C-alpha cells in the first residue's frame, strides 16, 4: 500500500487544495447578516416573528490520511456582528473538540491536528458557540455541525475467509462451478471506485478460471484426472478501482481437491500365479491369496472375485477378504494327486460399484490364471464302495459260511497290499470273522434273526507296511428269515358261554402270532387237534384272515355237570417248511341273566345258592354278626383288664425297682396250685445290717446255709461254677438291647453242676433192685392204682411169655 500512497502524493495535495477552497467558499456563501449579534440573550425578542441567524453552516469536509507538518485547515465560522475588534469568542465542543479539532477563538478558523482515517471514523459531530469575550455570555444559540472525513483509496481488498479449499470431481465438464471466493475493501463504496473489486487468477489459470465480478471459480478443462494429479493450488487476485491503473489489490490461495470417480477397472499385477497344496489337505484349506489393484479410491475400489472355468469351480472356491480386498482361494472338494496333478483356475475381479457414465471407457473387470500344483502324500486305503456295504445272509447258514467280501485298495502309486480286520468293539460276541488278506467275512456263530435281525460291524483296512495308514467302513449285515418258529396263540385265550347258549353261537375269536417274517407274508390255518376231533360241543371256523372263531355245536350246557371245557386247536403256518403247534382254549360255563349277561362262572357258588333258601341265608348272616359282637366284647374286656393291671404296675414300679425279694423255697410241683404267702418269702432270711467302724462300704453277713457249708466241709467254698454262670448272664445282659436304661437287679436260680443227694424221683426207683412192696398203693384209691401198677413186680407167666 505504501508505494501506491507515495505515487499518489501529488494527486492528494491537489485534491486537498480544491476541497479547502470549496469549503471556504461554501462557508462564505452561507453567511447572513443579523442585527442581533450585539445583544445579550435575555434581550432577544420573544415574539413569534422569525429570527434570522447571523451564521449558518451544514457541514465541513476534511481529507483523510493528511501527512503535512502543519494543522490541516478545515473551515471557518464567522458572524456578521463580528467587527474584527476581538470582542467575540468562538468555541466548539463535541467529538474530537480540543484534541482532533481546534478553533481560533478570534478568527473562528478550525484546523485538524491529527491524521484522520475514514476506515476508523467517517464523521465527527460538533457544536459551535459565539460568546461575548468579556461576559462569556452566548451571543448566538449553540448550533451543531458535522465534519466528514473524505475517503481516498488507501485500503487494498482482503480475502477474510482465505485460504480456501474446494473440491470438484474428476472428469467434470468445462464450466463446472467449483467454489466462490469473496474479498472486501474498507474504502467507501459510495465514493468513487475505491471499493469496486474485480477478480483474476494469477496461478493455475490453465485449469481453472474465475468470474471477474462474482468470484466464482470454474473448471477450464474437461480432462482433470485424480489419478494423475489429485489437487491444484490457485492464486486468486482481487483489485479495487475496478481494475484501473493505480488500484490496490490483494490475493489468496485456493486449494482445489479432485475427488474420485470409478473410472478405472481392477487390474491383476500378474497374469499367472502359482501355488502348491498337498492332496491330503482338508476341505476349506486356504491355498493362497491374489489381489487386483484399482487406481481409484474409497468404495470405488470395492470388488469381488469369482472363478470363471467350470473345472476350477468344482474343486476350488474363491472369497473376498473385506479388509484387504484380496481373493482367498480354498479347497472345495478333496484333491487327488493320482487323478490330476495340476489345476489351472481362472479368477476374475469385478468392480462392485460401476458408474454408468464411464461404461464406454471399457470393461470394469480383469482376469488372471491361478495354477495349483497337487503334491503326493501317503494316503490310507479307500474302500469300494466308500460309503459302506450292506450284506445279507440266511439265519440258518452254517458256521464258516461266507457272508460277503469287503474290498479296499491303496490310492497311492505304490499300491501297497491291504490287510483287513473287524473292530471287535462293534462285534463283541465275535459272530463274524474276516480274512485279513481277501476281506471275506464268514460266520463265527449260529445266527438267530428273531434275536437280532441286523448286525452292524466296522471293518478296518490298513496298509501292510504302514499300520498308521488305516481307514474304516461300516458293514451292515441283514439276517434273512427262515421258517423256524411255529405259530402260537397271541394270548392264553379264555372264553365263557351261558348255560342256555344256542347252537352255532360265536363264543370267541382267536388270533395267532409268529416270530418269523416270511417275505410273502403270514398265512395261518386252524383245525381242531386230533384228540378233539370227536368233540360234540364246539366247532372251529377258519375266517381266512389269520383268525378263527369258536362256535357252539349244541345247546343246554350245565355247569354242575361240567363247568370248564378245554379245546385243543392245531395252528399251522404256510412254511416252507410248514410248522405247527397246539394251543388250548379254556371255555367256562357260566350262569347268565335273561339279557345274556354273565352272573357267575363258579359251580360251587351255584350249588350253595341252590341249597340255601333266603331265610337260611338271613339266619346265617345273623349268626355271623353275633359272633363278631362277642369277639369285640372279649377284646374290650381284655383291654380293660390290661389297662387296670398296667395302672397298678405303674403305681408300684418304683418299689419294684428298689426292693429286692430273695427266697429259697422249692415249689410243690404240678399238683400245687395254691398261691404262696409272700410274707414267708420276705422273712425267710434275716440279714441284719453290719456297719463297719471305718468309712468303708456297708456289708451284709453271709447267709446261714453258706456258713454251715463252709464250716462243715472244713475248707473254703468253691464258687467257681457260680462265678462262671453269673459272668455269662452279665455278658448276655450287656448285649441285650431290650434291657432298661437304668440299673437293674437280676436274680437267677442255679443248682450247680451236681448234688450230693440222690434223685428223689420214683421213676428211677423202678430200675433199682429194691424189694419194697408197693402193692398197698392200690388200696389208696383209684388215683394211686396206676402208680401201683408201675411198681408191682412182674408175673412169672408174663415173663415167660
Amino acid at each position: 500500500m505504501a508505494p501506491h500512497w507515495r505515487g499518489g502524493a501529488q494527486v492528494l495535495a491537489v485534491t486537498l487544495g480544491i476541497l479547502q477552497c470549496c469549503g471556504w467558499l461554501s462557508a462564505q456563501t452561507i453567511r447572513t447578516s443579523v442585527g442581533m449579534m450585539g445583544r445579550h440573550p435575555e434581550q432577544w425578542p420573544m415574539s413569534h416573528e422569525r429570527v434570522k441567524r447571523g451564521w449558518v453552516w451544514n457541514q465541513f469536509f476534511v481529507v483523510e490520511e493528511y501527512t503535512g507538518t502543519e494543522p490541516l485547515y478545515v473551515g471557518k465560522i464567522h458572524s456578521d456582528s463580528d467587527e474584527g475588534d476581538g470582542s467575540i469568542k468562538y468555541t466548539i465542543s463535541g467529538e474530537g473538540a480540543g484534541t482532533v479539532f481546534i478553533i481560533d477563538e478570534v478568527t473562528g478558523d478550525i484546523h485538524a491536528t491529527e491524521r484522520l482515517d475514514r476506515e476508523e471514523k467517517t464523521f465527527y459531530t460538533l457544536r459551535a458557540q459565539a460568546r461575548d469575550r468579556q461576559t462569556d455570555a452566548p451571543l448566538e444559540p449553540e448550533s451543531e455541525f458535522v465534519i466528514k472525513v473524505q475517503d481516498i483509496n488507501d485500503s487494498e481488498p482482503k480475502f477474510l475467509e482465505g485460504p480456501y479449499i474446494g473440491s470438484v470431481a474428476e472428469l467434470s465438464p468445462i464450466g463446472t462451478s467449483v467454489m466462490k471466493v469473496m474479498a472486501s475493501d474498507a474504502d467507501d463504496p459510495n465514493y468513487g471506485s475505491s471499493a469496486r473489486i474485480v477478480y483474476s487468477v494469477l496461478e493455475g489459470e490453465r485449469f481453472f478460471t474465475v468470474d471477474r465480478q462474482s468470484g466464482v471459480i470454474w473448471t477450464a478443462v474437461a480432462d482433470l484426472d485424480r489419478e494423475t494429479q489429485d489437487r491444484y493450488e490457485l492464486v486468486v487476485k482481487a483489485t479495487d478501482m475496478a481494475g484501473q491503473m493505480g488500484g490496490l489489490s490483494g490475493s489468496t490461495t485456493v486449494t482445489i481437491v479432485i475427488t474420485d470417480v470409478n473410472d478405472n477397472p481392477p487390474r491383476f499385477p500378474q497374469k499367472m500365479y502359482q501355488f502348491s497344496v498337498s492332496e491330503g489337505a482338508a476341505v476349506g484349506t486356504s491355498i493362497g491369496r491374489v489381489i487386483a489393484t484399482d487406481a481409484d479410491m474409497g468404495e470405488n475400489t470395492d470388488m469381488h472375485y469369482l472363478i470363471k472355468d467350470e473345472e476350477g469351480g468344482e474343486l476350488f472356491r474363491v472369497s473376498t477378504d473385506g479388509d484387504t480386498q484380496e481373493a482367498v482361494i480354498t479347497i472345495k472338494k478333496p484333491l487327488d494327486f493320482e487323478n490330476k496333478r495340476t489345476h489351472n483356475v481362472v479368477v476374475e475381479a469385478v468392480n462392485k460399484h460401476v458408474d454408468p457414465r464411464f461404461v464406454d471407457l471399457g470393461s470394469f473387470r480383469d482376469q488372471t490364471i491361478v495354477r495349483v500344483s497337487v503334491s503326493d502324500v501317503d494316503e490310507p486305503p479307500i474302500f469300494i464302495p466308500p460309503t459302506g456295504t450292506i450284506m445279507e445272509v440266511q439265519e440258518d447258514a452254517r458256521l464258516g459260511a461266507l457272508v460277503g467280501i469287503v474290498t479296499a485298495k491303496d490310492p497311492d502309486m505304490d499300491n501297497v497290499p491291504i490287510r483287513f480286520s473287524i473292530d471287535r468293539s462293534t462285534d463283541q460276541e465275535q459272530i463274524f470273522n474276516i480274512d485279513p488278506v481277501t476281506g471275506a467275512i464268514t460266520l463265527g456263530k449260529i445266527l438267530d434273526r428273531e434275536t437280532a435281525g441286523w448286525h452292524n460291524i466296522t471293518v478296518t483296512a490298513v496298509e501292510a507296511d504302514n499300520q498308521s495308514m488305516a481307514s474304516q467302513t461300516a458293514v451292515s449285515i441283514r439276517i434273512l428269515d427262515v421258517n423256524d418258529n411255529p405259530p402260537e396263540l397271541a394270548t392264553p385265550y379264555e372264553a365263557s358261554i351261558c348255560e342256555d347258549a344256542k347252537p352255532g353261537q360265536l363264543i370267541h375269536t382267536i388270533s395267532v402270532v409268529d416270530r418269523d417274517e416270511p417275505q410273502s407274508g403270514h398265512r395261518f390255518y386252524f383245525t381242531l387237534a386230533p384228540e378233539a376231533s370227536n368233540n360234540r360241543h364246539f366247532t372251529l371256523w377258519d375266517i381266512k384272515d389269520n383268525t378263527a372263531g369258536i362256535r357252539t355245536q349244541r345247546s343246554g350246557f350245565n355247569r354242575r355237570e361240567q363247568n370248564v371245557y378245554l379245546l385243543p386247536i392245531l395252528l399251522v403256518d404256510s412254511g416252507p417248511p410248514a410248522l405247527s403247534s397246539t394251543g388250548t382254549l379254556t371255555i367256562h360255563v357260566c350262569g347268565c341273566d335273561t339279557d345274556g349277561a354273565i352272573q357267575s362262572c363258579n359251580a360251587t357258588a351255584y350249588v350253595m345258592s341252590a341249597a340255601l333258601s333266603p331265610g337260611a341265608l338271613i339266619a346265617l348272616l345273623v349268626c355271623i354278626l353275633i359272633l363278631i359282637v362277642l369277639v369285640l366284647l372279649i377284646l374290650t374286656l381284655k383291654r380293660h383288664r390290661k389297662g387296670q393291671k398296667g395302672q397298678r404296675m405303674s403305681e408300684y414300679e418304683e418299689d419294684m425297682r428298689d426292693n429286692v425279694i430273695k427266697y429259697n423255697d422249692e415249689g410243690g410241683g404240678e399238683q400245687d396250685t395254691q398261691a404262696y404267702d409272700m410274707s414267708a418269702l420276705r422273712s425267710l432270711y434275716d440279714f441284719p445290717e453290719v456297719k463297719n467302724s471305718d468309712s468303708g462300704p456297708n456289708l451284709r453277713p453271709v447267709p446261714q446255709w453258706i456258713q454251715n457249708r463252709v464250716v462243715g466241709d472244713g475248707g473254703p467254698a468253691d464258687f467257681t461254677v457260680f462265678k462262671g454262670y453269673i459272668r455269662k448272664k452279665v455278658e448276655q445282659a450287656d448285649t441285650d438291647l431290650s434291657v432298661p436304661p437304668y440299673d437293674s437287679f437280676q436274680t437267677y436260680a442255679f443248682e450247680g453242676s451236681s448234688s450230693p443227694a440222690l434223685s428223689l424221683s420214683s421213676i428211677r426207683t423202678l430200675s433199682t433192685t429194691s424189694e419194697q412192696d408197693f402193692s398197698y398203693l392200690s388200696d389208696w384209691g383209684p388215683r394211686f392204682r396206676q402208680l401201683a401198677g408201675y411198681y408191682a413186680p412182674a408175673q412169672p407167666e408174663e415173663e415167660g411169655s
Side-chain angles (χ1 to χ4, degrees):
M1 179 176 174
H4 294 286
W5 172 250
R6 295 190 188 96
Q10 295 178 354
V11 176
L12 177 61
V14 174
T15 304
L16 290 175
I18 295 172
L19 291 175
Q20 184 176 1
C21 293
C22 293
W24 182 81
L25 290 175
S26 63
Q28 294 298 325
T29 54
I30 61 174
R31 287 189 300 168
T32 57
S33 300
V34 179
M36 301 170 58
M37 292 296 294
R39 301 180 181 178
H40 293 283
E42 59 270 11
Q43 296 176 346
W44 294 342
M46 301 301 295
S47 64
H48 294 286
E49 257 183 41
R50 180 177 180 183
V51 178
K52 293 184 180 180
R53 300 176 63 184
W55 50 278
V56 179
W57 62 91
N58 186 11
Q59 58 185 3
F60 292 122
F61 294 92
V62 60
V63 67
E64 66 172 338
E65 302 295 342
Y66 173 69
T67 58
T69 58
E70 297 295 333
L72 178 62
Y73 180 77
V74 177
K76 181 183 182 68
I77 58 175
H78 186 74
S79 176
D80 291 341
S81 61
D82 186 3
E83 297 179 356
D85 54 359
S87 61
I88 297 176
K89 182 177 67 174
Y90 299 98
T91 61
I92 59 174
S93 62
E95 295 178 336
T99 57
V100 179
F101 302 100
I102 58 176
I103 188 171
D104 190 330
E105 295 181 353
V106 177
T107 62
D109 294 332
I110 302 174
H111 292 81
T113 62
E114 296 181 3
R115 182 178 177 180
L116 302 180
D117 188 358
R118 193 204 66 82
E119 286 72 32
E120 293 182 0
K121 193 172 180 61
T122 57
F123 64 90
Y124 297 85
T125 302
L126 295 97
R127 291 177 297 277
Q129 181 76 58
R131 295 179 177 272
D132 186 273
R133 186 176 294 276
Q134 298 296 329
T135 62
D136 199 30
L139 301 178
E140 294 286 345
E142 190 178 49
S143 182
E144 186 177 86
F145 66 99
V146 174
I147 300 177
K148 287 189 175 182
V149 181
Q150 290 284 0
D151 181 49
I152 63 173
N153 189 18
D154 60 342
S155 297
E156 73 278 6
K158 294 181 180 179
F159 293 93
L160 301 180
E161 298 179 1
Y164 294 87
I165 298 177
S167 62
V168 65
E170 62 177 330
L171 301 181
S172 295
I174 297 175
T176 301
S177 175
V178 179
M179 62 180 304
K180 181 179 181 179
V181 296
M182 181 177 293
S184 61
D185 195 323
D187 292 330
D188 189 356
N190 299 320
Y191 182 78
S193 299
S194 298
R196 291 181 60 188
I197 300 173
V198 293
Y199 300 93
S200 61
V201 178
L202 295 181
E203 297 180 9
E205 66 276 6
R206 175 185 169 187
F207 303 101
F208 300 94
T209 61
V210 62
D211 187 90
R212 287 176 54 84
Q213 304 298 328
S214 64
V216 175
I217 299 176
W218 296 324
T219 56
V221 294
D223 58 350
L224 294 175
D225 188 7
R226 188 203 63 82
E227 290 74 29
T228 303
Q229 185 174 351
D230 60 352
R231 64 177 58 223
Y232 295 86
E233 300 288 341
L234 307 181
V235 178
V236 178
K237 183 178 71 172
T239 306
D240 59 9
M241 297 295 292
Q244 298 177 2
M245 183 180 296
L248 304 179
S249 64
S251 64
T252 187
T253 301
V254 179
T255 302
I256 299 177
V257 178
I258 307 302
T259 59
D260 184 58
V261 297
N262 193 7
D263 59 337
N264 293 280
R267 290 287 181 265
F268 284 102
Q270 301 174 214
K271 289 302 179 182
M272 178 176 290
Y273 297 85
Q274 291 188 352
F275 299 101
S276 62
V277 63
S278 170
E279 66 172 334
V283 173
T285 302
S286 175
I287 297 175
R289 291 172 174 244
V290 297
I291 187 172
T293 59
D294 193 328
D296 296 321
M297 62 183 299
E299 68 174 9
N300 294 325
T301 62
D302 292 344
M303 64 187 75
H304 66 275
Y305 300 88
L306 51 91
I307 295 178
K308 294 298 292 182
D309 61 314
E310 183 177 353
E311 178 185 357
E314 292 182 356
L315 298 176
F316 303 96
R317 178 183 291 109
V318 63
S319 59
T320 305
D321 189 329
D323 297 330
T324 62
Q325 292 294 311
E326 291 178 311
V328 182
I329 303 171
T330 56
I331 299 175
K332 185 178 180 180
K333 288 184 178 180
L335 303 177
D336 188 3
F337 171 82
E338 290 73 24
N339 186 21
K340 190 172 184 179
R341 303 183 181 183
T342 303
H343 300 273
N344 293 324
V345 183
V346 179
V347 178
E348 184 177 73
V350 182
N351 268 141
K352 286 185 179 180
H353 311 288
V354 178
D355 195 333
R357 296 177 299 173
F358 309 108
V359 174
D360 55 348
L361 296 180
S363 176
F364 284 81
R365 58 183 65 211
D366 193 22
Q367 292 182 351
T368 188
I369 296 176
V370 177
R371 175 169 293 177
V372 181
S373 300
V374 182
S375 58
D376 187 27
V377 295
D378 192 4
E379 299 176 272
I382 297 176
F383 284 94
I384 303 172
T387 57
T389 305
I390 298 178
M391 301 179 180
E392 295 180 347
V393 62
Q394 296 285 341
E395 68 172 320
D396 59 349
R398 301 185 308 274
L399 290 177
L402 178 64
V403 178
I405 299 176
V406 178
T407 305
K409 69 174 184 178
D410 183 12
D412 299 321
M413 300 295 294
D414 299 337
N415 196 16
V416 177
I418 306 301
R419 297 293 179 263
F420 300 93
S421 63
I422 295 178
D423 185 355
R424 289 304 174 184
S425 63
T426 62
D427 185 26
Q428 297 181 356
E429 299 180 2
Q430 298 185 3
I431 300 176
F432 303 98
N433 298 320
I434 189 170
D435 188 291
V437 178
T438 63
I441 299 177
T442 58
L443 285 181
K445 289 185 178 181
I446 297 299
L447 300 174
D448 185 10
R449 190 204 64 82
E450 287 71 33
T451 302
W454 285 86
H455 294 274
N456 297 314
I457 62 175
T458 300
V459 176
T460 303
V462 299
E463 293 183 0
D465 58 352
N466 187 0
Q467 299 294 324
S468 62
M469 291 292 102
S471 58
Q472 292 183 331
T473 187
V475 178
S476 299
I477 302 175
R478 179 186 179 187
I479 311 302
L480 299 178
D481 184 47
V482 295
N483 192 25
D484 57 349
N485 293 279
E488 300 174 352
L489 290 177
T491 58
Y493 287 107
E494 291 187 0
S496 301
I497 61 172
C498 297
E499 289 182 307
D500 56 353
K502 303 294 188 296
Q505 180 178 342
L506 180 63
I507 300 174
H508 199 71
T509 302
I510 60 175
S511 60
V512 177
V513 293
D514 194 334
R515 298 176 61 190
D516 296 321
E517 292 182 359
Q519 296 181 356
S520 59
H522 289 289
R523 179 68 180 96
F524 301 109
Y525 304 95
F526 303 86
T527 59
L528 293 177
E531 59 268 24
S533 59
N534 297 326
N535 172 53
R536 293 179 293 111
H537 309 291
F538 306 98
T539 59
L540 182 66
W541 171 42
D542 192 347
I543 306 177
K544 305 298 184 181
D545 61 350
N546 293 335
T547 61
I550 308 298
R551 297 177 181 271
T552 58
Q553 193 173 357
R554 68 179 181 87
S555 62
F557 293 90
N558 191 341
R559 53 179 168 162
R560 284 177 293 178
E561 295 177 359
Q562 185 175 354
N563 65 332
V564 176
Y565 293 89
L566 301 178
L567 187 64
I569 302 174
L570 182 63
L571 311 173
V572 184
D573 60 16
S574 57
L579 301 179
S580 63
S581 66
T582 302
T584 302
L585 175 63
T586 302
I587 303 175
H588 298 273
V589 180
C590 303
C592 305
D593 57 11
T594 57
D595 297 330
I598 297 175
Q599 299 295 321
S600 175
C601 297
N602 192 344
T604 304
Y606 175 83
V607 174
M608 290 181 62
S609 62
L612 295 178
S613 62
L617 291 176
I618 294 174
L620 180 61
L621 292 177
V622 171
C623 293
I624 293 173
L625 182 61
I626 292 173
L627 289 176
I628 293 174
V629 172
L630 289 176
V631 171
L632 293 176
L633 289 175
I634 293 171
L635 293 176
T636 303
L637 290 175
K638 284 186 176 182
R639 182 175 298 177
H640 182 67
R641 290 178 181 178
K642 186 176 181 180
Q644 291 180 349
K645 183 179 178 180
Q647 184 176 3
R648 289 195 300 267
M649 290 182 67
S650 62
E651 293 177 357
Y652 297 104
E653 181 179 1
E654 187 173 355
D655 295 336
M656 291 176 66
R657 291 180 55 189
D658 297 338
N659 301 326
V660 180
I661 301 173
K662 298 181 179 180
Y663 64 93
N664 186 11
D665 190 11
E666 191 168 338
E670 291 81 4
Q671 300 298 327
D672 189 3
T673 57
Q674 301 295 324
Y676 287 99
D677 186 7
M678 298 302 294
S679 61
L681 295 177
R682 290 182 182 273
S683 60
L684 181 61
Y685 298 105
D686 186 14
F687 298 151
E689 295 182 359
V690 178
K691 294 184 178 180
N692 193 5
S693 60
D694 298 334
S695 60
N698 295 334
L699 302 176
R700 293 180 180 272
V702 181
Q704 187 67 28
W705 64 275
I706 297 179
Q707 295 179 4
N708 293 336
R709 182 177 178 180
V710 173
V711 174
D713 294 342
D718 186 7
F719 294 95
T720 305
V721 177
F722 295 91
K723 289 181 179 179
Y725 180 80
I726 293 173
R727 186 181 300 109
K728 181 179 179 181
K729 291 298 181 179
V730 170
E731 291 176 358
Q732 291 179 358
D734 290 339
T735 58
D736 189 2
L737 299 178
S738 63
V739 298
Y742 44 77
D743 295 336
S744 63
F745 188 90
Q746 301 187 20
T747 60
Y748 304 97
F750 181 64
E751 292 181 354
S753 61
S754 63
S755 175
L758 297 177
S759 174
L760 301 178
S761 174
S762 60
I763 298 177
R764 290 193 59 185
T765 308
L766 181 63
S767 63
T768 63
T769 57
S770 176
E771 296 180 357
Q772 185 176 359
D773 186 11
F774 292 97
S775 60
Y776 64 91
L777 294 175
S778 300
D779 300 334
W780 286 13
R783 295 184 178 183
F784 294 93
R785 288 178 183 175
Q786 186 175 2
L787 184 61
Y790 291 151
Y791 291 94
Q795 298 297 329
E797 296 82 6
E798 296 176 359
E799 294 177 359
S801 62

